[in-house]
Amino acid sequence: MKIKIAYIFFLFSLLLYNCNSSSKEKSNSTKAKHKPSQQELADGFLLTESSCFSCHSPNATLESRIGPSMKAIKKHYITSNTSHEKFTKELAEFLNKPSGENSKMPDAIKKFGLMPKLIYSDEQISKIATYIYFTELEKPGWFEKHDQDQKEKFKQNTNSNLSPIELGKSFVMKTKAVLGKNLLGAINTKGTEYAVSFCSTRAIALTDSVAMSLNTKIRRVSDKSRNPNNKANKAELEYIAATKLDIDQGKAPKPKLTELENKHLGYYPIMTNKMCMQCHGQLETEVMSGTLSKLKSLYPNDQAVGYKTEELRGIWVVEIDKK
Ligand code: HEC
Ligand code: HEC
C-alpha cells in the first residue's frame, strides 16, 4: 500500500514537473516569437513576396490595384496593442475562409470584390504573419529598397534551404499568384466572357513567363482538360487518380516528387474554389450561356465543366533542378 501511494505520488510529481517544464517552454517560445530569427523572416519574405504581393502590391498605382496594399491591410489588422499571436490568428481566420463576416475591411470587398480562397498551410500563414508583423512596410519607397535588401540578405537563406518539394511549391505559389491576379483583374474589369478569351490567350504564356523568370518549367495539366495541350500523360494520370482517392477518403491532397535523371519532377494538386465555377462549374446555373458559347467556340472538345468546389481540377507539374 505504502509503495502504491509513493508510486502515485511519484507519478503526480512527474506530472507536475512536466506541466512546469512545458509551460516554461511555452513562455520561452512565445518570447522567441517576439524576436523572429533571420531564417524565419527570410521564409516569411519569400512566401509573402511570392503569394501575396502580386495582388497586394506595395507599388502598384491605384488604377492597377487588384487588392489593397499590405500596408493598408496591416493598419486594419494591427493596432498598438495587437499581439503577434492575435494577428496570426486573425490573418489565418480570414485566409482560411475569406468572407464578409471575417472581414475587417468591408470597403475593400466593395471596391475589389472578395479575395479568392487560396490554399495556404497553417505553417505558411504563420510565417507570412511573422514577416508582415515584424517588418516595417510603412516608409515610402520601402519596397524597392527593401525588396533589394531582403533579396540580397536572404539570397543564401531562401531557396537553398528549401527541400526540392518545398522549392517546387514556392514556384507554384508564385505562378498561381500571377495567374490569379491577372484572372481576377480580367474578370473584375471586363467580366467573365472576356476573361475566358484572356485565359485562352494568356494562361499558358503567363505560366511560361513566370517559369522563365524562375528558370524552370511549369505546366498545368488535367484528366479532363479544356485545352487539349493540357492533357495529362500516363504518370500524371496515375498521380491524379491516387490524389482523387485520397480526397474521397477525406485525406488532404499531397504533392509528390519523382526523380528523373538530372532533375526532380514535382506534382501539386489544383483544387477548385467558388471563383472557378463561373467557367468550370455546372452548366447553366454556374457557367452562364454567354460564357459557355465563348468556351465552345474556343474549345470544341472542352471537358473541363461540371466541377464542384473543393474538387481536383488538375495538377501543376514543375521541374526542379537537382542541386
Ligand atoms: C489573387 C489576388 C490575391 C492574392 C494572391 C492575395 N490576396 Fe489578399 N485580398 C485580395 C483582394 C481582392 C482583397 C480585398 C477584398 C477583401 O477584403 O476580401 C484582399 C484582402 C486581403 C485582406 C483583408 C481582408 C479583410 O477584408 O479583412 C487580407 C488580410 C489579405 N488579403 C491577406 C492576404 C495575404 C496574407 C496573401 C498572401 C498569402 C494574400 N492576401 C494574397 C486579393 C488577393
Ligand atoms: C474566366 C474563366 C475561367 C475561370 C474563372 C477559371 N478558369 Fe481555368 N481555364 C479557363 C480557360 C479558358 C482555360 C484554358 C486555358 C488554356 O487554353 O490554356 C482554363 C484552364 C485551366 C486549367 C488547365 C487544364 C485545362 O483544363 O486546360 C486548370 C488546371 C484550370 N483552368 C483551373 C482553374 C481553377 C482551379 C480555377 C479557379 C481558381 C479556374 N481555372 C478558373 C477559364 C477559366
CSV table of all heavy atoms in Angstrom, one decimal, residues 71-124:
chain,number,residue,atom,x,y,z
A,71,LYS,N,0.3,47.4,-46.6
A,71,LYS,CA,0.4,48.4,-45.6
A,71,LYS,C,-1.0,48.8,-45.1
A,71,LYS,O,-1.2,48.9,-43.9
A,71,LYS,CB,1.1,49.7,-46.2
A,71,LYS,CG,1.1,50.9,-45.3
A,71,LYS,CD,1.7,52.1,-46.0
A,71,LYS,CE,1.2,53.4,-45.4
A,71,LYS,NZ,1.5,54.5,-46.3
A,72,ALA,N,-2.0,48.9,-46.0
A,72,ALA,CA,-3.3,49.2,-45.6
A,72,ALA,C,-3.9,48.1,-44.8
A,72,ALA,O,-4.6,48.3,-43.8
A,72,ALA,CB,-4.2,49.5,-46.8
A,73,ILE,N,-3.6,46.9,-45.2
A,73,ILE,CA,-4.1,45.7,-44.5
A,73,ILE,C,-3.6,45.7,-43.1
A,73,ILE,O,-4.3,45.5,-42.1
A,73,ILE,CB,-3.8,44.4,-45.2
A,73,ILE,CG1,-4.5,44.3,-46.6
A,73,ILE,CG2,-4.0,43.2,-44.4
A,73,ILE,CD1,-4.2,43.1,-47.4
A,74,LYS,N,-2.3,45.9,-43.0
A,74,LYS,CA,-1.6,45.9,-41.7
A,74,LYS,C,-2.3,46.9,-40.8
A,74,LYS,O,-2.5,46.7,-39.6
A,74,LYS,CB,-0.1,46.2,-41.9
A,74,LYS,CG,0.7,45.8,-40.7
A,74,LYS,CD,2.2,46.0,-41.0
A,74,LYS,CE,3.0,45.9,-39.7
A,74,LYS,NZ,4.4,46.0,-39.9
A,75,LYS,N,-2.6,48.1,-41.3
A,75,LYS,CA,-3.2,49.1,-40.5
A,75,LYS,C,-4.6,48.7,-39.9
A,75,LYS,O,-4.9,49.0,-38.8
A,75,LYS,CB,-3.5,50.4,-41.4
A,75,LYS,CG,-2.6,51.5,-41.0
A,75,LYS,CD,-3.1,52.8,-41.6
A,75,LYS,CE,-2.0,53.8,-41.9
A,75,LYS,NZ,-2.2,54.5,-43.1
A,76,HIS,N,-5.3,47.9,-40.7
A,76,HIS,CA,-6.6,47.5,-40.3
A,76,HIS,C,-6.5,46.3,-39.3
A,76,HIS,O,-7.4,46.1,-38.5
A,76,HIS,CB,-7.5,47.1,-41.4
A,76,HIS,CG,-8.1,48.2,-42.1
A,76,HIS,ND1,-7.4,48.9,-43.1
A,76,HIS,CD2,-9.3,48.9,-42.0
A,76,HIS,CE1,-8.2,49.9,-43.6
A,76,HIS,NE2,-9.3,49.9,-42.9
A,77,TYR,N,-5.5,45.6,-39.4
A,77,TYR,CA,-5.3,44.4,-38.6
A,77,TYR,C,-4.5,44.6,-37.3
A,77,TYR,O,-4.7,43.9,-36.3
A,77,TYR,CB,-4.8,43.2,-39.4
A,77,TYR,CG,-5.8,42.4,-40.1
A,77,TYR,CD1,-6.4,43.0,-41.3
A,77,TYR,CD2,-6.3,41.2,-39.7
A,77,TYR,CE1,-7.4,42.3,-42.0
A,77,TYR,CE2,-7.3,40.5,-40.4
A,77,TYR,CZ,-7.8,41.1,-41.5
A,77,TYR,OH,-8.8,40.4,-42.2
A,78,ILE,N,-3.6,45.5,-37.4
A,78,ILE,CA,-2.7,45.7,-36.2
A,78,ILE,C,-2.7,47.1,-35.7
A,78,ILE,O,-2.4,48.0,-36.4
A,78,ILE,CB,-1.2,45.4,-36.6
A,78,ILE,CG1,-1.1,44.0,-37.2
A,78,ILE,CG2,-0.3,45.5,-35.4
A,78,ILE,CD1,0.3,43.6,-37.8
A,79,THR,N,-3.2,47.2,-34.4
A,79,THR,CA,-3.2,48.5,-33.7
A,79,THR,C,-2.1,48.4,-32.7
A,79,THR,O,-1.5,47.3,-32.5
A,79,THR,CB,-4.5,48.8,-33.1
A,79,THR,OG1,-4.9,47.7,-32.2
A,79,THR,CG2,-5.6,49.0,-34.2
A,80,SER,N,-1.9,49.4,-31.9
A,80,SER,CA,-0.8,49.4,-31.0
A,80,SER,C,-0.8,48.3,-30.0
A,80,SER,O,0.3,47.8,-29.6
A,80,SER,CB,-0.7,50.8,-30.2
A,80,SER,OG,-1.9,50.9,-29.6
A,81,ASN,N,-2.0,47.7,-29.7
A,81,ASN,CA,-1.9,46.6,-28.7
A,81,ASN,C,-2.3,45.3,-29.3
A,81,ASN,O,-2.7,44.4,-28.6
A,81,ASN,CB,-2.8,47.0,-27.5
A,81,ASN,CG,-4.2,47.4,-27.9
A,81,ASN,OD1,-4.5,47.2,-29.1
A,81,ASN,ND2,-5.0,47.9,-27.1
A,82,THR,N,-2.1,45.1,-30.6
A,82,THR,CA,-2.4,43.8,-31.2
A,82,THR,C,-1.1,43.0,-31.0
A,82,THR,O,0.0,43.4,-31.5
A,82,THR,CB,-2.7,43.9,-32.7
A,82,THR,OG1,-3.8,44.9,-32.8
A,82,THR,CG2,-3.2,42.6,-33.2
A,83,SER,N,-1.2,41.8,-30.4
A,83,SER,CA,0.0,40.9,-30.3
A,83,SER,C,0.2,40.2,-31.6
A,83,SER,O,-0.7,40.0,-32.4
A,83,SER,CB,-0.2,39.9,-29.1
A,83,SER,OG,-1.3,39.0,-29.5
A,84,HIS,N,1.4,39.7,-31.7
A,84,HIS,CA,1.8,38.8,-32.8
A,84,HIS,C,0.9,37.6,-33.0
A,84,HIS,O,0.4,37.3,-34.1
A,84,HIS,CB,3.3,38.4,-32.6
A,84,HIS,CG,3.8,37.4,-33.7
A,84,HIS,ND1,4.7,36.5,-33.3
A,84,HIS,CD2,3.5,37.3,-35.0
A,84,HIS,CE1,5.0,35.8,-34.4
A,84,HIS,NE2,4.3,36.3,-35.4
A,85,GLU,N,0.5,37.0,-31.8
A,85,GLU,CA,-0.3,35.8,-31.8
A,85,GLU,C,-1.7,36.2,-32.3
A,85,GLU,O,-2.3,35.5,-33.1
A,85,GLU,CB,-0.5,35.2,-30.4
A,85,GLU,CG,0.8,34.5,-29.9
A,85,GLU,CD,1.9,35.5,-29.5
A,85,GLU,OE1,1.6,36.7,-29.3
A,85,GLU,OE2,3.1,35.0,-29.5
A,86,LYS,N,-2.2,37.3,-31.8
A,86,LYS,CA,-3.6,37.7,-32.2
A,86,LYS,C,-3.6,38.0,-33.7
A,86,LYS,O,-4.5,37.6,-34.4
A,86,LYS,CB,-4.0,39.0,-31.4
A,86,LYS,CG,-5.4,39.5,-31.8
A,86,LYS,CD,-5.9,40.3,-30.6
A,86,LYS,CE,-7.4,40.7,-30.8
A,86,LYS,NZ,-7.6,42.0,-31.5
A,87,PHE,N,-2.6,38.7,-34.2
A,87,PHE,CA,-2.6,39.0,-35.7
A,87,PHE,C,-2.5,37.7,-36.5
A,87,PHE,O,-3.3,37.5,-37.4
A,87,PHE,CB,-1.4,39.9,-36.0
A,87,PHE,CG,-1.2,40.1,-37.5
A,87,PHE,CD1,-2.2,40.7,-38.2
A,87,PHE,CD2,0.0,39.6,-38.1
A,87,PHE,CE1,-2.0,40.8,-39.6
A,87,PHE,CE2,0.2,39.8,-39.5
A,87,PHE,CZ,-0.8,40.4,-40.2
A,88,THR,N,-1.7,36.7,-36.1
A,88,THR,CA,-1.5,35.5,-36.8
A,88,THR,C,-2.9,34.8,-36.8
A,88,THR,O,-3.3,34.2,-37.9
A,88,THR,CB,-0.5,34.5,-36.1
A,88,THR,OG1,0.7,35.3,-36.0
A,88,THR,CG2,-0.3,33.3,-36.9
A,89,LYS,N,-3.6,34.8,-35.7
A,89,LYS,CA,-4.9,34.1,-35.6
A,89,LYS,C,-5.9,34.7,-36.5
A,89,LYS,O,-6.6,34.1,-37.3
A,89,LYS,CB,-5.3,34.1,-34.1
A,89,LYS,CG,-6.6,33.4,-33.9
A,89,LYS,CD,-6.9,33.3,-32.4
A,89,LYS,CE,-8.3,33.0,-32.1
A,89,LYS,NZ,-9.2,34.2,-32.0
A,90,GLU,N,-5.9,36.1,-36.5
A,90,GLU,CA,-6.9,36.7,-37.3
A,90,GLU,C,-6.6,36.7,-38.8
A,90,GLU,O,-7.6,36.6,-39.6
A,90,GLU,CB,-7.1,38.2,-36.8
A,90,GLU,CG,-7.7,38.2,-35.4
A,90,GLU,CD,-8.0,39.6,-34.9
A,90,GLU,OE1,-7.4,40.6,-35.5
A,90,GLU,OE2,-8.8,39.7,-34.0
A,91,LEU,N,-5.4,36.7,-39.1
A,91,LEU,CA,-5.0,36.5,-40.5
A,91,LEU,C,-5.4,35.1,-41.0
A,91,LEU,O,-6.0,35.0,-42.1
A,91,LEU,CB,-3.5,36.7,-40.7
A,91,LEU,CG,-3.0,36.7,-42.2
A,91,LEU,CD1,-3.5,38.0,-42.9
A,91,LEU,CD2,-1.5,36.7,-42.2
A,92,ALA,N,-5.1,34.1,-40.2
A,92,ALA,CA,-5.4,32.8,-40.6
A,92,ALA,C,-7.0,32.6,-40.7
A,92,ALA,O,-7.4,32.0,-41.7
A,92,ALA,CB,-4.9,31.8,-39.5
A,93,GLU,N,-7.7,33.2,-39.8
A,93,GLU,CA,-9.2,33.1,-39.9
A,93,GLU,C,-9.7,33.7,-41.3
A,93,GLU,O,-10.5,33.0,-41.9
A,93,GLU,CB,-9.8,33.9,-38.8
A,93,GLU,CG,-10.1,33.1,-37.6
A,93,GLU,CD,-10.4,33.9,-36.3
A,93,GLU,OE1,-10.6,35.1,-36.4
A,93,GLU,OE2,-10.3,33.3,-35.2
A,94,PHE,N,-9.1,34.8,-41.7
A,94,PHE,CA,-9.6,35.3,-43.0
A,94,PHE,C,-9.1,34.5,-44.1
A,94,PHE,O,-9.9,34.2,-45.0
A,94,PHE,CB,-9.1,36.8,-43.1
A,94,PHE,CG,-9.7,37.4,-44.4
A,94,PHE,CD1,-11.0,37.8,-44.5
A,94,PHE,CD2,-8.9,37.5,-45.6
A,94,PHE,CE1,-11.5,38.3,-45.7
A,94,PHE,CE2,-9.4,38.0,-46.7
A,94,PHE,CZ,-10.7,38.4,-46.8
A,95,LEU,N,-7.8,34.1,-44.1
A,95,LEU,CA,-7.3,33.4,-45.3
A,95,LEU,C,-7.9,32.0,-45.4
A,95,LEU,O,-8.1,31.5,-46.5
A,95,LEU,CB,-5.7,33.2,-45.2
A,95,LEU,CG,-4.9,34.5,-45.3
A,95,LEU,CD1,-3.4,34.2,-45.2
A,95,LEU,CD2,-5.2,35.3,-46.5
A,96,ASN,N,-8.3,31.4,-44.3
A,96,ASN,CA,-8.9,30.1,-44.4
A,96,ASN,C,-10.4,30.2,-44.8
A,96,ASN,O,-10.9,29.2,-45.3
A,96,ASN,CB,-8.8,29.4,-43.0
A,96,ASN,CG,-7.4,28.9,-42.7
A,96,ASN,OD1,-6.7,28.5,-43.7
A,96,ASN,ND2,-7.1,28.9,-41.5
A,97,LYS,N,-10.9,31.3,-44.6
A,97,LYS,CA,-12.3,31.5,-45.0
A,97,LYS,C,-12.6,33.0,-45.3
A,97,LYS,O,-13.2,33.7,-44.5
A,97,LYS,CB,-13.3,31.0,-43.9
A,97,LYS,CG,-14.7,30.9,-44.3
A,97,LYS,CD,-15.5,30.2,-43.3
A,97,LYS,CE,-17.0,30.1,-43.7
A,97,LYS,NZ,-17.8,31.0,-42.9
A,98,PRO,N,-12.2,33.4,-46.5
A,98,PRO,CA,-12.5,34.8,-46.8
A,98,PRO,C,-14.0,35.0,-46.9
A,98,PRO,O,-14.7,34.3,-47.6
A,98,PRO,CB,-11.8,35.0,-48.2
A,98,PRO,CG,-10.9,33.8,-48.4
A,98,PRO,CD,-11.5,32.7,-47.6
A,99,SER,N,-14.5,35.9,-46.2
A,99,SER,CA,-15.9,36.2,-46.2
A,99,SER,C,-16.2,37.5,-45.6
A,99,SER,O,-15.4,38.1,-44.9
A,99,SER,CB,-16.6,35.1,-45.3
A,99,SER,OG,-16.3,35.3,-44.0
A,100,GLY,N,-17.4,38.0,-45.8
A,100,GLY,CA,-17.8,39.3,-45.3
A,100,GLY,C,-17.8,39.3,-43.8
A,100,GLY,O,-17.3,40.3,-43.1
A,101,GLU,N,-18.2,38.2,-43.2
A,101,GLU,CA,-18.2,38.1,-41.7
A,101,GLU,C,-16.8,38.2,-41.1
A,101,GLU,O,-16.6,38.8,-40.1
A,101,GLU,CB,-18.8,36.8,-41.2
A,101,GLU,CG,-20.2,36.6,-41.5
A,101,GLU,CD,-20.4,35.2,-42.1
A,101,GLU,OE1,-20.1,34.2,-41.5
A,101,GLU,OE2,-21.0,35.2,-43.3
A,102,ASN,N,-15.8,37.6,-41.8
A,102,ASN,CA,-14.4,37.6,-41.2
A,102,ASN,C,-13.7,38.9,-41.6
A,102,ASN,O,-12.5,39.1,-41.2
A,102,ASN,CB,-13.6,36.4,-41.8
A,102,ASN,CG,-14.0,35.2,-41.0
A,102,ASN,OD1,-14.6,35.2,-39.9
A,102,ASN,ND2,-13.7,34.0,-41.6
A,103,SER,N,-14.3,39.8,-42.4
A,103,SER,CA,-13.6,40.9,-42.9
A,103,SER,C,-13.4,42.0,-41.9
A,103,SER,O,-14.3,42.3,-41.1
A,103,SER,CB,-14.3,41.4,-44.2
A,103,SER,OG,-13.7,42.6,-44.6
A,104,LYS,N,-12.3,42.7,-42.0
A,104,LYS,CA,-12.1,43.9,-41.2
A,104,LYS,C,-12.0,45.1,-42.2
A,104,LYS,O,-11.8,46.2,-41.8
A,104,LYS,CB,-10.7,43.8,-40.5
A,104,LYS,CG,-10.7,42.8,-39.3
A,104,LYS,CD,-9.4,43.0,-38.6
A,104,LYS,CE,-9.2,41.9,-37.6
A,104,LYS,NZ,-10.2,41.9,-36.5
A,105,MET,N,-12.2,44.7,-43.5
A,105,MET,CA,-12.1,45.8,-44.5
A,105,MET,C,-13.2,45.7,-45.5
A,105,MET,O,-13.0,45.4,-46.7
A,105,MET,CB,-10.7,45.7,-45.2
A,105,MET,CG,-9.5,45.7,-44.3
A,105,MET,SD,-7.9,45.5,-45.2
A,105,MET,CE,-7.8,47.0,-46.1
A,106,PRO,N,-14.5,45.9,-45.0
A,106,PRO,CA,-15.6,45.7,-45.9
A,106,PRO,C,-15.5,46.6,-47.1
A,106,PRO,O,-16.0,46.3,-48.2
A,106,PRO,CB,-16.8,46.0,-45.0
A,106,PRO,CG,-16.3,46.6,-43.7
A,106,PRO,CD,-14.9,46.2,-43.6
A,107,ASP,N,-14.9,47.8,-46.9
A,107,ASP,CA,-14.8,48.7,-48.1
A,107,ASP,C,-13.9,48.1,-49.2
A,107,ASP,O,-14.2,48.4,-50.4
A,107,ASP,CB,-14.3,50.1,-47.6
A,107,ASP,CG,-15.3,50.9,-46.9
A,107,ASP,OD1,-16.5,50.5,-46.9
A,107,ASP,OD2,-14.9,51.8,-46.2
A,108,ALA,N,-12.9,47.4,-48.8
A,108,ALA,CA,-12.0,46.8,-49.8
A,108,ALA,C,-12.8,45.7,-50.6
A,108,ALA,O,-12.6,45.5,-51.8
A,108,ALA,CB,-10.8,46.1,-49.1
A,109,ILE,N,-13.7,45.0,-49.9
A,109,ILE,CA,-14.5,44.0,-50.6
A,109,ILE,C,-15.4,44.7,-51.6
A,109,ILE,O,-15.5,44.2,-52.7
A,109,ILE,CB,-15.4,43.2,-49.6
A,109,ILE,CG1,-14.5,42.4,-48.6
A,109,ILE,CG2,-16.3,42.2,-50.4
A,109,ILE,CD1,-15.2,41.5,-47.7
A,110,LYS,N,-16.0,45.8,-51.2
A,110,LYS,CA,-16.8,46.6,-52.1
A,110,LYS,C,-16.0,47.0,-53.3
A,110,LYS,O,-16.5,47.0,-54.5
A,110,LYS,CB,-17.4,47.8,-51.4
A,110,LYS,CG,-18.8,47.5,-50.8
A,110,LYS,CD,-19.5,48.8,-50.4
A,110,LYS,CE,-20.2,48.6,-49.0
A,110,LYS,NZ,-19.9,49.6,-48.0
A,111,LYS,N,-14.8,47.5,-53.1
A,111,LYS,CA,-14.0,48.1,-54.1
A,111,LYS,C,-13.4,47.0,-55.1
A,111,LYS,O,-13.4,47.1,-56.3
A,111,LYS,CB,-12.9,48.9,-53.5
A,111,LYS,CG,-12.1,49.7,-54.5
A,111,LYS,CD,-11.4,50.8,-53.8
A,111,LYS,CE,-10.4,51.4,-54.7
A,111,LYS,NZ,-9.2,52.0,-54.0
A,112,PHE,N,-12.9,45.9,-54.5
A,112,PHE,CA,-12.1,44.9,-55.3
A,112,PHE,C,-12.8,43.6,-55.5
A,112,PHE,O,-12.4,42.8,-56.2
A,112,PHE,CB,-10.8,44.7,-54.6
A,112,PHE,CG,-9.9,45.9,-54.4
A,112,PHE,CD1,-9.7,46.4,-53.2
A,112,PHE,CD2,-9.2,46.4,-55.5
A,112,PHE,CE1,-8.9,47.5,-53.0
A,112,PHE,CE2,-8.4,47.5,-55.4
A,112,PHE,CZ,-8.2,48.1,-54.1
A,113,GLY,N,-14.0,43.4,-54.7
A,113,GLY,CA,-14.5,42.0,-54.7
A,113,GLY,C,-13.8,41.2,-53.7
A,113,GLY,O,-12.6,41.5,-53.3
A,114,LEU,N,-14.5,40.2,-53.1
A,114,LEU,CA,-13.9,39.4,-52.1
A,114,LEU,C,-12.6,38.7,-52.5
A,114,LEU,O,-12.5,38.2,-53.7
A,114,LEU,CB,-14.9,38.3,-51.6
A,114,LEU,CG,-14.5,37.4,-50.4
A,114,LEU,CD1,-14.5,38.3,-49.2
A,114,LEU,CD2,-15.6,36.3,-50.3
A,115,MET,N,-11.6,38.6,-51.7
A,115,MET,CA,-10.4,37.9,-52.0
A,115,MET,C,-10.7,36.4,-52.3
A,115,MET,O,-11.4,35.8,-51.5
A,115,MET,CB,-9.4,38.0,-50.8
A,115,MET,CG,-8.2,37.1,-51.0
A,115,MET,SD,-6.9,37.5,-49.9
A,115,MET,CE,-6.0,36.0,-49.8
A,116,PRO,N,-10.2,35.8,-53.4
A,116,PRO,CA,-10.5,34.4,-53.6
A,116,PRO,C,-9.8,33.5,-52.6
A,116,PRO,O,-8.7,33.9,-52.0
A,116,PRO,CB,-9.9,34.1,-55.0
A,116,PRO,CG,-8.9,35.2,-55.2
A,116,PRO,CD,-9.3,36.4,-54.4
A,117,LYS,N,-10.3,32.4,-52.3
A,117,LYS,CA,-9.6,31.5,-51.3
A,117,LYS,C,-8.5,30.8,-52.0
A,117,LYS,O,-8.7,30.2,-53.0
A,117,LYS,CB,-10.6,30.5,-50.8
A,117,LYS,CG,-10.0,29.6,-49.7
A,117,LYS,CD,-10.9,28.7,-49.0
A,117,LYS,CE,-10.1,28.0,-48.0
A,117,LYS,NZ,-10.2,26.8,-47.6
A,118,LEU,N,-7.3,31.0,-51.5
A,118,LEU,CA,-6.1,30.3,-52.0
A,118,LEU,C,-5.7,29.3,-50.8
A,118,LEU,O,-6.0,29.7,-49.7
A,118,LEU,CB,-5.0,31.3,-52.3
A,118,LEU,CG,-5.4,32.4,-53.3
A,118,LEU,CD1,-4.6,33.6,-53.1
A,118,LEU,CD2,-5.4,31.9,-54.7
A,119,ILE,N,-5.1,28.2,-51.2
A,119,ILE,CA,-4.8,27.3,-50.1
A,119,ILE,C,-3.4,27.5,-49.5
A,119,ILE,O,-2.4,27.4,-50.2
A,119,ILE,CB,-4.9,25.8,-50.6
A,119,ILE,CG1,-6.1,25.6,-51.4
A,119,ILE,CG2,-4.8,24.8,-49.4
A,119,ILE,CD1,-7.4,25.4,-50.7
A,120,TYR,N,-3.4,27.9,-48.2
A,120,TYR,CA,-2.1,28.0,-47.5
A,120,TYR,C,-2.2,27.1,-46.3
A,120,TYR,O,-3.2,27.0,-45.6
A,120,TYR,CB,-1.9,29.5,-47.0
A,120,TYR,CG,-2.0,30.5,-48.1
A,120,TYR,CD1,-3.2,31.3,-48.2
A,120,TYR,CD2,-1.0,30.7,-49.1
A,120,TYR,CE1,-3.3,32.2,-49.3
A,120,TYR,CE2,-1.2,31.6,-50.1
A,120,TYR,CZ,-2.3,32.4,-50.2
A,120,TYR,OH,-2.4,33.3,-51.2
A,121,SER,N,-1.0,26.5,-45.9
A,121,SER,CA,-1.0,25.7,-44.7
A,121,SER,C,-0.9,26.6,-43.5
A,121,SER,O,-0.5,27.8,-43.7
A,121,SER,CB,0.2,24.8,-44.8
A,121,SER,OG,1.4,25.5,-44.7
A,122,ASP,N,-1.2,26.1,-42.3
A,122,ASP,CA,-1.1,26.9,-41.1
A,122,ASP,C,0.4,27.4,-40.9
A,122,ASP,O,0.6,28.5,-40.5
A,122,ASP,CB,-1.4,26.1,-39.9
A,122,ASP,CG,-2.9,25.8,-39.8
A,122,ASP,OD1,-3.7,26.5,-40.6
A,122,ASP,OD2,-3.4,24.9,-39.1
A,123,GLU,N,1.3,26.5,-41.3
A,123,GLU,CA,2.7,26.9,-41.1
A,123,GLU,C,3.1,28.1,-42.0
A,123,GLU,O,3.7,29.0,-41.6
A,123,GLU,CB,3.6,25.7,-41.5
A,123,GLU,CG,4.9,25.8,-40.9
A,123,GLU,CD,5.8,24.7,-41.5
A,123,GLU,OE1,5.3,23.7,-42.1
A,123,GLU,OE2,7.0,24.9,-41.5
A,124,GLN,N,2.6,28.0,-43.3
A,124,GLN,CA,2.9,29.1,-44.2
A,124,GLN,C,2.2,30.4,-43.7
A,124,GLN,O,2.9,31.5,-43.7
A,124,GLN,CB,2.3,28.8,-45.6
A,124,GLN,CG,3.1,27.7,-46.3
A,124,GLN,CD,2.4,27.2,-47.6
A,124,GLN,OE1,1.2,27.2,-47.6
A,124,GLN,NE2,3.1,26.8,-48.5
